[in-house]
Amino acid sequence: MNPTYSIIIPAYNEEEVVAESYARLTRVMQGMGEPYELLFVNDGSRDGTARIIAGFCQGDSAVRLLNFSRNFGHMPAISAGMDYARGQAVIVIDADLQDPPEVLPQMAAKWKEGYHVVYGKRSKRKGESLFKKATAKLFYRLLRAMTDVDLPLDTGEFRLIDRRVCDAVNALPEKNRYIRGLVSWVGFRQIAVEYERQERFAGVTKYPLRKMLAFAMDAIASFSYKPLKLATSLGFIMSLVGFVYMLVVFYQAVFTDRVITGWASTMVVILLSQGIVLMILGIVGEYLGRVYEELKNRPSYIIQEIIGGEHETTDNPLPEPGER
């Protein structure tokens, strides 16, 4: 018998918090009184995360563990969880407890009202710097302005999705996945549940500034081609400026006695134009890189072993349905 709820918990080097995460999730789910499974996805952790979760599997039949062969990233970990989830409602929540498990009953209530997607909307973000809050707010609004998909503001992967939505997203062929965008793209009835995002229970963030920038670029490239249009517009503007400047130089040389000077200004124009050209090439390169990754057709993740549930496997390089 399949569970009513599948809780997907990606984890990477979370040995300091995973036990508390398991305890709180178990307490909340048992209080809901319906069948559930906790599906931990160990994304190639180098600490004791996998060992701790394997211990949960031995004492609790509701817990399953997918061990990746290496670190593949947050989005592949969520994709793997969605591939293997068996519940009628699939919930994604990180192991760090910034998204409180106590919100899950509210999400389930909205699902039972007939909504297919119930996403958590952050009313407050505790424990985060002003810089991170400001840049996150800017990113969500920029992304929404650059795409035709109705992407809800101030949300993350913390959400409940109906089995039909999960199957629809799983059927999409792309490998570089921005999950929250894909869930919005497939449609269905969606609603928000507001909550206060908490500080990390323990450990350190796995998303430093470098990864946040890469994540933002992936999200924009996945759902918008407006950067390519911007590159075209910039190229046209710079060509127009160059043409006008050429006419000015020609006029001064032929119709006036003024000495043509301006070495510094000329160099500024050259450097500016070359910088824009390189930026345009970088934007095009981002899109070409994504096409290249898709054409290689490599799987998004490789599972080394599955522990818990109805079966346990070891050294299984790529069990079904992880062929994406």
Side-chain angles (χ1 to χ4, degrees), residues 43-299:
D43 186 20
S45 298
R46 297 186 180 91
D47 60 5
T49 298
R51 173 182 52 80
I52 294 170
I53 299 172
F56 302 155
C57 295
Q58 293 177 359
D60 188 345
S61 61
V63 181
R64 284 196 295 160
L65 170 63
L66 307 182
N67 266 328
F68 279 2
S69 61
R70 64 170 177 84
N71 177 242
F72 284 92
H74 193 227
M75 291 297 118
I78 295 174
S79 294
M82 292 175 64
D83 283 338
Y84 282 86
R86 299 175 295 190
Q88 294 305 303
V90 178
I91 299 170
V92 180
I93 183 170
D94 288 338
D96 57 18
L97 295 177
Q98 286 187 282
D99 302 323
E102 291 73 21
V103 178
L104 299 187
Q106 299 176 47
M107 290 183 166
K110 291 295 182 183
W111 174 58
K112 290 179 179 179
E113 290 177 13
Y115 291 97
H116 302 104
V117 177
V118 185
Y119 52 86
K121 184 174 183 179
R122 302 155 181 169
S123 59
K124 292 183 180 179
R125 302 169 67 110
K126 296 182 179 179
E128 296 181 355
S129 66
L130 290 176
F131 174 77
K132 186 170 183 179
K133 291 178 182 178
T135 53
K137 187 174 183 178
L138 176 64
F139 162 68
Y140 289 126
R141 282 148 185 80
L142 176 64
L143 180 60
R144 184 164 186 169
M146 295 183 71
T147 179
D148 295 329
V149 179
D150 185 17
L151 297 172
L153 298 175
D154 304 318
T155 64
E157 268 61 56
F158 182 40
R159 63 190 59 213
L160 179 152
I161 61 176
D162 184 80
R163 166 51 54 187
R164 284 172 291 178
V165 178
C166 183
D167 291 342
V169 173
N170 288 345
L172 298 176
E174 63 252 54
K175 295 175 175 57
N176 289 300
R177 309 192 126 211
Y178 180 57
I179 299 296
R180 71 186 79 166
L182 293 176
V183 171
S184 295
W185 182 86
V186 298
F188 296 92
R189 294 186 66 198
Q190 307 198 11
I191 193 172
V193 168
E194 291 196 358
Y195 72 101
E196 292 187 7
R197 197 161 201 244
Q198 305 298 310
E199 295 184 41
R200 256 188 162 271
F201 180 81
V204 296
T205 179
K206 306 306 184 295
Y207 267 95
L209 180 60
R210 175 181 58 83
K211 285 191 174 182
M212 288 297 296
L213 291 174
F215 178 73
M217 189 62 217
D218 282 343
I220 292 171
S222 293
F223 282 89
S224 176
Y225 56 87
K226 286 186 180 179
L228 292 175
K229 288 187 174 183
L230 175 63
T232 302
S233 299
L234 285 173
F236 176 78
I237 291 171
M238 289 306 300
S239 297
L240 182 61
V241 169
F243 180 74
V244 171
Y245 188 67
M246 180 190 70
L247 293 179
V248 171
V249 171
F250 180 78
Y251 175 82
Q252 289 180 345
V254 176
F255 298 105
T256 71
D257 296 328
R258 293 177 59 187
V259 177
I260 301 175
T261 59
W263 168 258
S265 62
T266 301
M267 289 302 298
V268 168
V269 171
I270 291 173
L271 292 174
L272 177 62
S273 62
Q274 291 302 308
I276 292 176
V277 169
L278 290 175
M279 183 184 73
I280 292 171
L281 289 175
I283 292 172
V284 174
E286 287 288 341
Y287 284 90
L288 286 177
R290 296 183 69 83
V291 173
Y292 174 64
E293 288 295 326
E294 294 293 330
L295 288 176
K296 286 192 295 187
N297 202 33
R298 292 175 183 169

